[in-house]
Amino acid sequence: MSTRPAEALDRGAAPWLFATALATTLPHAEHQPLWLSALSATIFAWAGWLWWRNERLPGRWPLILLVAVACGGVLFEFRTLFGRDAGVAMLVVFMAMKLLELRSRRDATVIVTLGYFLLLTHYFYSQSIPTGVWLLSTMTLVTATLIRLHGGAVSTPAATLRYAGLLTLQALPFMLVLYLLFPRVAGPLWGLPQDAHSGRSGLSEQMAPGNIANLALSGEIAFRVRFAEPAPARGQLYWRGPVLEYYDGRTWRPQPSRLRPPQIEALSPALAYETTLEAHQQRWLLALDAPGTLPGDLTLDSTLTATNRVPLTQRQRFSLTAILDYRFNREEDQAVLRRNLALPANANPRSRELAESWRQAEPDPERLVQKALTLFSGASFAYTLQPPLLGEHPVDDFLFVTQRGFCEHYASAFVVLMRAAGVPARIVTGYQGGEANPVDGFVVVRQSDAHAWAEVWFAGRGWTRVDPTAAVSPSRVENGIAAAMPAGEPLPALIQLRSDWLRTLQFRWEAINNAWNQYVLGYNPERQRELLGRLGLPDADWRNLAATLAIICGTLLLAITAWALYQRPRLDPAARLWQKALHRLARRQVNCPPWETPLALARRLEDERPALAPAVLKVVDAYLQARYSGILDDLKKLRAAIRRLP
Amino acid sequence: MMPGVTRSTLSTKPRPLDPVLAAASRVILGKDREIRQALACLLAGGHLLIEDLPGVGKTTLAHALARLLGLAFSRIQFTSDLLPADITGVSIYERQTGEFRFLPGPVFAQMVLADEINRATPKTQSALLEAMEERQVTVEGETRQLPEPFFVIATQNPSYQIGTFPLPESQLDRFLMRIELGYPERGAERALLAAGGQRALADQLTPVIEASDLPTLQREVTAVHAAEPLIDYVQALIEASRRDPAFQHGLSPRAGLALLAASRAGAWLDGRDMVLPDDVQEMLPFVARHRLRSTQGTGMARAEDIAALIRAVPIP
C-alpha cells in the first residue's frame, strides 16, 4: 500500500480527520449497543496513539480481522447487516477503522465523504433542534477538514473554520429554498423501521393498579392543544382515551364492541381546537370530552373514543371540536348495560357486601353515587402516588385497609361499588388538565396528567362522568397533580409547581420546540400547497415547482457570484492585465503556479516552449515595469505585448 | 537571480560590482552565487555568517572581498580561551608618559573575519556581537567608534562538532544573512587542485573600488524601489512563516526589514532600480533559515521547509 509522495498525507491533517470522525459518530453512541461504542472508542484511541507516537499503521491482516469481528458483532446483535440500525452501526465502525489506514489523501477523502454521509444518518433518530444545530456545526467541521486537506497548512485552524462557516452560511439560502419548494411526499421518504418508535411511554390499553402512577412520574409531553377561543377551565379538560368495561378482579380491559354509533345530544356549542399528538403507537386519539365532528380518517367508536384508521407512529396534528356539556346514549343497549354491571364472582366480597347494603337502603342511582363519593371524601382516604401494595382483593384492601391511592384506585373502587349496587358503570382513561404555556398559548398535556375516572349510566341522562378522585382531592382536578401531592412525594422536576426562572425557561424552550414541530417538521404537502398559493402559485404541480426552484436557485447563485466579484480584492490594472495574459497562456497549456515569479516563468519557458518564450518575456518585462518600478506607466506596452501573445 | 541567465530588459544599468564578482570568482572557484550573496549582505549594511566545515574557503572569501573592496582587514581566530579584551583592545601603562594608552583590538578594522566564532565562550562572543550591533566599543568607560564601513564575516563550524558554544537565537538575529559554502563542484575542485594556493592569489588582488565609495553604493542600494505589491509579498511571506507548523516561531519584524534590505541589494547587483519578487525569493533562504527553528528536532529550519514556504505563498 505504498503511495507516491505527492499523495502522502501530511501529519497536521490528522487531527482534523480525527475530529471529523469523532463528531460525526459520537451522537450515535446514544442509541447503539454499548459494545459497539466501546469498540469504536478503542479503535479511535489506538489510531490516536499511533498518530501521536508517529508509529506504523497496522498492516492488512489485523484490519481484516477487525472488520470480521465488527461484521460478526453487528450480525449477532441485529441479525442483519442491512437496514437502519445495522447499517449505521457498520458505518460508525468503518469510520473508526478508516483512521487505522490513514496513509494517503485518498484515505482522507474517504473519511470526509463518509463524514458527510454519517451526518445524514443522525436524522433517522432525531429531528430536534439540538440535533439540527449539532449537525450544522459538524457539517462546518467536515467542510473545514476538506479545505484543510486541499489547502495544506497555510491557513490557521481558526481561518479554515471561518472559511467553512462562510460556505455553510452561503448554503443556507439554498437549503431554505429547497426545503420550501422541493416537492414534498406525505410521510417519510423511506419507511423507517418500527424500532424508531419503541420505548415510548403513554397510556396503555388496560389498567391495573400502578400503571398510571408510573406515568405520573414522567414530564414527557403527551400532546399540545391550541383552542380557537379562550381555553375552558382546567376542571373541564377531560381528554378521553380508551374506555375500560371488562374487569377480572384486578385488571380493567376494553370490551371489544360492535360499531354502533354513539348518540350525542349537544347542550353547549361546539368548541374548536387543534391538537398535536406525540406518537404513541395506538389508534385512539385523546379528544376533549365529548368529541364533536371528526375529520376524514377518524371515527368515534361506541364508547365515544375517537379512533384513527392506523396507529399514530409519528407526531400528528388534528383539527377537532368538543362539546363540553352533552348527553351520551340516553338509550343504551341492554347488552351494554349488562356488561357494565358484571363483576367477577369471588373478588372483593366486602366491597360487594357494602354496596349491597347501600342499595337496600337507597335504590336511587344518583344517591348511590353521592354515597360513594361521600365515602371517599372522608378524612381517612388520602391521595398519594405511593400507595401500599394491595392483596388478593384489591378493592377490598383499598377500601377497608389501606385507604390510600391514586386516581386508578379510586376509579376502580368506585366502579366496583356502583356495579355491585346495580348502577351500570365503567372506567374511562385519558388525561386530565393541562397547562397553558404563557409564551405561545398552547395548552401542554404531559404524561403526568394521565388520569382515570368513571362513567355511570342513569336512565334518562345517559352516561355521566363521575370523577371519584375529585372527591378525595379536588385540587388534583382543579390545579393539577403537583398541587394534589402531599409534600415530600417525589415528582419529576419538570412538573413540580414552581414559578421561578427555570420554569419560565422551560416554557420558552417548549414553545420553541413546539414551533419547530408545528412549522418545520410539520411542513407537509398541504402546508406547502398553502404557502405556494399565498406566493401566487395556487395549483403547483412538480413542473411549476421545478421551474420555481430553478429560477430562485439561479437568482441566488447570481447574487452570491455578484457579491463575491464585488468583494474580490481590487487588482490594480497591471495585475489584471497579467491575469489576462496568464489566462491566454493557460489556453496554450502553460500554467503558472501562484508562487512562481513572472521572470521564473519566462526562464522556464525558454526551455519548455522556446517558440513562446520571447513573446512571454516581452509581456513579463512590461508587466514588471508597470507593477514594480514605481514609475506611473500607461500600460500601453503591456497591452500591446499581451495582444502579440500567440 | 543568476547574472546573465535572463535576457530581461529590466536590468538596464551597468552592474557596478561585476568586476568585483569576476575577480573574486577567479580566486574562489565555482562559488559565484555565494560571492554574490556575501556582496549583497555587505551592500545591505549587514554582517554575514558563513557556516561550513573547515577548509572550504571561508577565510579566503573574506580575505578576497576585503582586498577587492579596499577594506582594512583583520582576522580574529576564536578559541575557547579568547577574552573580550582580546577583541576590543586594552589600555596599557606607558612608563615614559606615565599614562594609559589604548591599544585597539582587532575589531577596529573595516572588515573583521571572526573565524570559528562558536569556539569561544558566550562572554567573548557577545563582546563581538555587541560591537556589531552598536558599531562602537566601550572599553574602560570610554566609547570608541568603529571604522566606517564596518563589516563582520563570522564563520562557524557546524554545531554538532565538539567543543562548540552554539550562538543563541538572539545573537544569530544580528547577522543579516547566513550562507553555506559547501564542497566545490567537481570541475571547480579539479581546477583548484591544479592551480593551488588560492590564499596567495587572494593576497595579490588589487582593490576594484575604494573603501570610501562603499557608503555611496550602500545609499544607492537603499534607494532601490520596493513597490506596494512587493511589500505585500514580503509581508505575506512573514505572516505565512508565523502560521507554518514547520517552524517553532515565525519571522520577526526585524527579519522582514532584513529580507527587504537584502532583496534591494540583490536587485541593485543586477543593475535594477526596483525589487522584484525574484529577489525576495532568492534572498529568503539566506535571511530566514538561521532565524527560524524547525519543529522537527531542535536545529534551525530546514532548507526544504523554506522552499515549501515560498511555494505556499501566492505572489500578490
Side-chain angles (χ1 to χ4, degrees), chain A residues 499-642:
Chain A
S499 55
D500 54 6
W501 58 272
L502 201 66
R503 189 98 181 125
T504 324
L505 209 65
Q506 187 210 343
F507 275 134
R508 272 179 209 287
W509 175 236
E510 283 182 358
I512 291 170
N513 261 322
N514 184 33
W516 172 264
N517 292 341
Q518 300 283 338
Y519 301 111
V520 181
L521 300 183
Y523 183 69
N524 51 19
E526 290 100 87
R527 292 226 159 180
Q528 186 175 41
R529 250 196 309 280
E530 216 178 283
L531 178 84
L532 289 173
R534 251 181 278 156
L535 292 178
L537 278 171
D539 296 307
D541 59 0
W542 65 269
R543 278 189 208 86
N544 290 348
L545 275 181
T548 316
L549 256 181
I551 291 170
I552 295 187
C553 285
T555 316
L556 271 173
L557 259 182
L558 272 179
I560 289 180
T561 313
W563 174 250
L565 284 177
Y566 177 74
Q567 285 288 301
R568 194 174 55 169
R570 278 329 128 70
L571 288 177
D572 60 47
R576 232 176 16 238
L577 286 169
W578 174 244
Q579 291 302 328
K580 195 172 144 194
L582 287 180
H583 275 296
R584 282 248 192 129
L585 288 171
R587 283 211 301 265
R588 313 211 24 131
Q589 276 76 49
V590 174
N591 286 311
C592 178
W595 53 270
E596 191 176 37
T597 69
L599 276 177
L601 173 71
R603 272 203 300 278
R604 182 158 64 84
L605 290 185
E606 269 171 30
D607 292 338
E608 294 176 5
R609 307 284 286 271
L612 210 57
V616 174
L617 186 61
K618 281 217 167 59
V619 175
V620 165
D621 275 354
Y623 165 58
L624 294 177
Q625 186 72 42
R627 190 118 194 263
Y628 290 100
S629 72
I631 301 161
L632 282 176
D633 205 55
D634 61 359
L635 301 172
K636 228 183 253 165
K637 256 174 145 177
L638 179 54
R639 283 205 188 88
I642 292 175

Side-chain angles (χ1 to χ4, degrees), chain A residues 394-408:
Chain A
V395 174
D396 278 3
D397 282 359
F398 170 68
L399 281 179
F400 301 107
V401 184
T402 67
Q403 301 196 331
R404 297 163 57 77
F406 196 54
C407 61
E408 60 214 59

Side-chain angles (χ1 to χ4, degrees), chain B residues 43-125:
Chain B
L43 285 169
H47 306 290
L48 180 68
L49 181 66
I50 307 179
E51 185 163 344
D52 224 316
L53 296 166
V56 290
K58 290 175 289 197
T59 315
T60 313
L61 172 65
H63 211 90
L65 284 182
R67 301 284 303 183
L68 289 166
L69 300 174
L71 299 173
F73 179 77
S74 79
R75 176 168 186 262
I76 312 168
Q77 176 63 49
F78 277 57
T79 56
S80 56
D81 54 359
L82 192 76
L83 295 174
D86 297 332
I87 296 173
T88 54
V90 287
S91 294
I92 53 168
Y93 181 69
E94 280 206 333
R95 203 177 310 160
Q96 289 90 340
T97 56
E99 285 175 348
F100 282 95
R101 186 167 66 88
F102 181 66
L103 280 185
V107 78
F108 287 86
Q110 285 167 316
M111 179 176 289
V112 177
L113 173 64
D115 222 353
E116 300 188 279
I117 187 168
N118 56 344
R119 286 219 181 278
T121 56
K123 189 176 178 183
T124 312
Q125 285 173 1

Side-chain angles (χ1 to χ4, degrees), chain A residues 191-515:
Chain A
L192 290 185
Q194 271 303 305
D195 58 353
H197 316 294
S198 55
R200 280 285 196 164
S201 67
L203 271 190
S204 72
E205 215 164 17
Q206 51 181 344
M207 189 185 86
N211 284 10
I212 294 182
N214 284 339
L215 274 185
L217 292 173
S218 161
E220 237 178 273
I221 289 172
F223 52 97
R224 293 182 168 91
V225 180
R226 181 156 61 180
F227 289 97
E229 302 140 58
R234 191 170 187 145
Q236 285 181 290
L237 296 179
Y238 281 86
W239 309 96
R240 192 179 178 99
V243 174
L244 312 178
E245 293 177 312
Y246 173 78
Y247 183 54
D248 66 1
R250 186 163 194 90
T251 308
W252 289 89
R253 291 198 176 79
Q255 192 91 7
S257 56
R258 303 161 289 109
L259 280 178
R260 176 182 179 277
Q263 305 296 315
I264 298 271
E265 284 169 46
L267 302 181
S268 68
L271 177 70
Y273 65 98
E274 202 177 55
T275 176
T276 308
L277 270 105
E278 300 290 320
H280 63 346
Q281 315 307 325
Q282 309 280 2
R283 287 176 55 215
W284 69 71
L285 264 63
L286 294 146
L288 187 56
D289 205 17
T293 50
L294 295 174
D297 273 355
L298 303 180
T299 48
L300 271 185
D301 72 4
S302 58
T303 57
L304 213 54
T305 305
T307 315
N308 197 12
R309 216 159 27 80
V310 289
L312 269 86
T313 52
Q314 51 181 343
R315 185 180 296 118
Q316 221 169 324
R317 185 170 37 212
F318 300 94
S319 285
L320 304 173
T321 58
I323 301 149
L324 293 178
D325 201 0
Y326 60 91
R327 293 274 182 270
F328 168 30
N329 277 6
R330 233 195 266 255
E331 305 295 323
E332 186 60 286
D333 262 5
Q334 282 309 309
V336 174
L337 294 181
R338 263 200 311 278
R339 189 158 80 201
N340 284 306
L341 286 169
L343 284 173
N346 304 318
N348 303 314
R350 290 180 68 190
S351 311
R352 294 165 68 157
E353 209 173 290
L354 174 71
E356 203 65 36
S357 68
W358 285 355
R359 184 166 60 169
Q360 274 155 21
E362 183 67 76
D364 178 32
E366 298 200 24
R367 301 290 280 277
L368 282 171
V369 169
Q370 274 316 314
K371 225 177 169 87
L373 294 183
T374 315
L375 172 71
F376 290 148
S377 60
S380 59
F381 280 91
Y383 184 66
T384 172
L385 259 181
Q386 297 169 311
L389 282 179
L390 301 176
E392 192 191 342
H393 302 292
V395 174
D396 278 3
D397 282 359
F398 170 68
L399 281 179
F400 301 107
V401 184
T402 67
Q403 301 196 331
R404 297 163 57 77
F406 196 54
C407 61
E408 60 214 59
H409 298 93
Y410 289 97
S412 177
F414 177 78
V415 172
V416 167
L417 284 174
M418 285 304 107
R419 286 187 178 186
V423 183
R426 59 194 183 187
I427 301 245
V428 184
T429 57
Y431 294 80
Q432 201 282 321
E435 182 177 35
N437 185 332
V439 179
D440 60 2
F442 275 78
V443 172
V444 178
V445 181
R446 297 173 196 282
Q447 297 299 356
S448 56
D449 294 318
H451 193 50
W453 61 93
E455 218 170 32
V456 291
W457 190 83
F458 301 127
R461 265 181 73 184
W463 288 103
T464 308
R465 181 169 64 220
V466 178
D467 189 349
T469 310
V472 60
S473 169
S475 60
R476 161 68 184 90
V477 174
E478 279 149 30
N479 302 321
I481 183 166
M485 279 302 133
E489 288 217 1
L491 269 183
L494 279 178
I495 57 172
Q496 279 170 26
L497 264 194
R498 278 201 309 239
S499 55
D500 54 6
W501 58 272
L502 201 66
R503 189 98 181 125
T504 324
L505 209 65
Q506 187 210 343
F507 275 134
R508 272 179 209 287
W509 175 236
E510 283 182 358
I512 291 170
N513 261 322
N514 184 33

Side-chain angles (χ1 to χ4, degrees), chain A residues 125-141:
Chain A
Y125 297 95
S126 164
Q127 302 184 348
S128 66
I129 299 176
T131 309
V133 171
W134 169 265
L135 292 184
L136 213 57
S137 39
T138 307
M139 185 174 83
T140 309
L141 174 69

